[in-house]
Amino acid sequence: MGCQYFDPCDNGADTFTIAIPKYTFGRGCLREAGARAVGLGMTRVGLFTDPFLRQSAYVATVLESLKQAGVDVAVFDEITIEADDASVERGAAFVAAGNFDGVVSVGGGSVMDTAKASMLYGLHPSDDFLDYFAPPLGAGRAMPRRLLPHLACATTSGTGSECTSISVLRINRMATKFVLANPVLLPQEALVDPACSDTLPAMVVASTGFDLLCHALECFTAKAYTRWDKQDDPLKRPLIQGANPWSDLAARQALEIAGEYLQRGVASDADHEARDQLMWGASLAGMAFGNSGTHLGHALSYGVTHLMHDVTTTGYPVESPFVPHGISVILSAPAIFRYTAAAAPERHFEAAELLQCDLQDAGFDDSGEALAARLIELMQKTGAPNGLGGVGFGPANVPALAASSARQVRAIANSPRATNLVDIENIYAAAISY
Ligand SMILES: [Fe+2]
């Protein structure tokens, strides 16, 4: 493909696959929900949202549009702020009883991820919730080839879940998050109306913006797909397939958007240009990492959310201690990219450049340090906590954080640099404060 990074390797993969939904972006496009649903053959839908959005103009617009189009609707809003197995079990019962021919989701990642998994468990129940998760956690049970058509309407500029085959769920009994990943979870259509971001609080724009930035940065610096083992059966090829020319294309653009607009979007809810761009960037980053996989940034964030019971972050409508997903990812990111840069210095250099890092006099050897410095600058300018210490973690928490994150085996293996438990401990220790 004219790029050294993807040079063929012995026994390495020689194909990559792209899956994205039909996608519509633009102010006011939520009004198209009814026509889009009819276009997907829907006559009776289950609409997933959360209790806060239920009262919003966005859900009202979608409900009105569905009604005008003659589509019958039942609403489910029993979704917690982080999608978890309990929400999915309630959602699955809703799907099982609803006699639906389609699902519409209106919300952020938690809503869309709950909708995806609720269809799976509602239409194809499992004895144990973990059955569909990959081993060693779950039984790796094969997913069905088809669920109901899903029209996903994203209301935040973060997860990109409207464009991915991934559902990230907190398993309450294990107090940690794991990922369901399968092509059947990809929505058929996505509607992204950036007007939804006009009312997002700054703290949410910062968290979701760092999520999109890290999706893009991780998939751009991920191990090349040609360095993963070749899998002859196309249906057995994993979704985490490594960096590839497609994920590069979308990730580069998403990084440019984050570099230009993240700070502006956090600073002012009147800056529609910045917030519109962040919505588009989040989808682009979803289209990218959904077809490559993330690596250490996301893997190490799961340890942070797992052990967050000792910490508290303000700004979200929850009573229990809570670290928003994007913040849990960015806190370790400067230490991670300092570590991974040695394995792909040119990619880290280019990423720093796309994020508008000042690279005068810097060479490829400085790329990890330069990228880390730019991330820290963005964290400071958007009021993010200063490393893991900023949300209550100290050196004594490092072994537990590392042990928890080490379970994210495939994502860790997608790192451009081979990473063991000691490396993870060292990264966490370096991420306590910057
Ligand atoms: Fe994420």
Side-chain angles (χ1 to χ4, degrees):
M1 305 288 294
C3 170
Q4 266 186 328
Y5 200 63
F6 303 125
D7 277 351
C9 296
D10 286 344
N11 300 315
D14 50 12
T15 58
F16 60 92
T17 301
I18 301 156
I20 56 170
K22 184 172 178 180
Y23 180 89
T24 302
F25 181 91
R27 285 191 167 251
C29 74
L30 281 184
R31 289 193 293 266
E32 298 178 6
R36 300 262 166 208
V38 169
L40 287 165
M42 299 178 186
T43 60
R44 172 169 165 76
V45 304
L47 185 144
F48 282 73
T49 189
D50 68 34
F52 310 102
L53 283 163
R54 174 92 190 240
Q55 317 302 329
S56 71
Y58 316 128
V59 169
T61 299
V62 171
L63 285 172
E64 179 60 23
S65 176
L66 290 165
K67 188 176 150 197
Q68 292 287 331
V71 179
D72 190 18
V73 187
V75 177
F76 175 84
D77 70 356
E78 297 165 53
I79 296 178
T80 49
I81 197 153
E82 285 209 294
D84 64 357
D85 47 0
S87 300
V88 170
E89 276 163 4
R90 291 188 292 269
F94 170 75
V95 171
N99 198 23
F100 303 125
D101 54 18
V103 159
V104 177
S105 57
V106 186
S110 298
V111 170
M112 295 185 276
D113 288 358
T114 302
K116 293 173 183 178
S118 295
M119 272 195 280
L120 174 65
Y121 288 95
L123 301 172
H124 303 273
S126 66
D127 295 333
D128 187 296
F129 193 81
L130 292 177
D131 283 353
Y132 283 118
F133 287 78
L137 175 80
R141 178 177 163 184
M143 290 196 201
R145 297 266 184 252
R146 195 173 289 239
L147 297 171
L148 299 174
H150 178 188
L151 171 63
C153 308
T155 60
T156 63
S157 45
T159 65
S161 179
E162 70 279 7
C163 295
T164 74
S165 313
I166 294 166
S167 171
V168 184
L169 299 173
R170 179 176 167 84
I171 309 296
N172 284 322
R173 72 180 118 124
M174 304 174 78
T176 190
K177 287 191 199 176
F178 288 97
V179 175
L180 281 173
N182 189 282
V184 80
L185 300 175
L186 185 73
Q188 276 61 44
E189 277 207 53
L191 274 184
V192 179
D193 183 341
C196 294
S197 68
D198 291 349
T199 52
L200 291 177
M203 174 70 184
V204 175
V205 177
S207 171
T208 55
F210 281 125
D211 192 23
L212 101 77
L213 189 162
C214 288
H215 290 154
L217 195 47
E218 287 173 54
C219 71
F220 189 61
T221 57
K223 182 156 105 181
Y225 75 98
T226 49
R227 290 175 57 209
W228 279 105
D229 287 344
K230 187 178 167 78
Q231 165 58 260
D232 288 326
D233 183 347
L235 298 185
K236 287 189 179 157
R237 287 183 198 145
L239 277 173
I240 296 182
Q241 63 181 341
N244 57 74
W246 164 261
S247 58
D248 276 8
L249 188 67
R252 280 191 173 101
Q253 187 66 40
L255 285 169
E256 266 191 340
I257 288 171
E260 178 81 25
Y261 297 107
L262 174 58
Q263 223 179 300
R264 276 177 51 183
V266 173
S268 168
D269 58 9
D271 191 338
H272 289 178
E273 183 193 1
R275 291 201 167 195
D276 286 17
Q277 286 289 329
L278 290 171
M279 286 291 270
W280 169 229
S283 289
L284 276 175
M287 294 180 204
F289 90 86
N291 292 291
S292 67
T294 53
H295 63 85
L296 295 179
H298 274 68
L300 270 60
S301 80
Y302 293 129
V304 175
T305 42
H306 178 194
L307 298 161
M308 67 188 177
H309 46 81
D310 292 333
V311 305
T312 304
T313 299
T314 53
Y316 280 75
V318 288
E319 286 162 16
S320 55
F322 170 70
V323 181
H325 170 65
I327 297 297
S328 75
V329 181
I330 195 66
L331 292 179
S332 306
I336 287 168
F337 292 102
R338 270 188 192 127
Y339 169 80
T340 53
E346 292 170 36
R347 293 219 143 209
H348 287 68
F349 190 89
E350 186 183 348
E353 222 169 14
L354 291 164
L355 287 170
Q356 302 192 355
C357 181
D358 180 5
L359 289 163
Q360 254 188 346
D361 307 323
F364 291 148
D365 289 348
D366 311 310
S367 61
E369 197 47 52
L371 185 52
R374 177 61 175 144
L375 295 177
I376 293 165
E377 183 187 16
L378 284 169
M379 289 162 74
Q380 288 169 343
K381 290 192 166 162
T382 53
N386 177 14
L388 295 169
V391 293
F393 291 104
N397 302 111
V398 164
L401 286 166
S404 175
S405 291
R407 292 182 289 189
Q408 310 290 337
V409 178
R410 181 100 188 164
I412 291 168
N414 206 29
S415 161
R417 184 170 172 184
T419 307
N420 62 30
L421 186 63
V422 175
D423 299 323
I424 296 173
E425 288 181 346
N426 290 337
I427 292 168
Y428 275 130
I432 301 288
S433 89
Y434 297 108

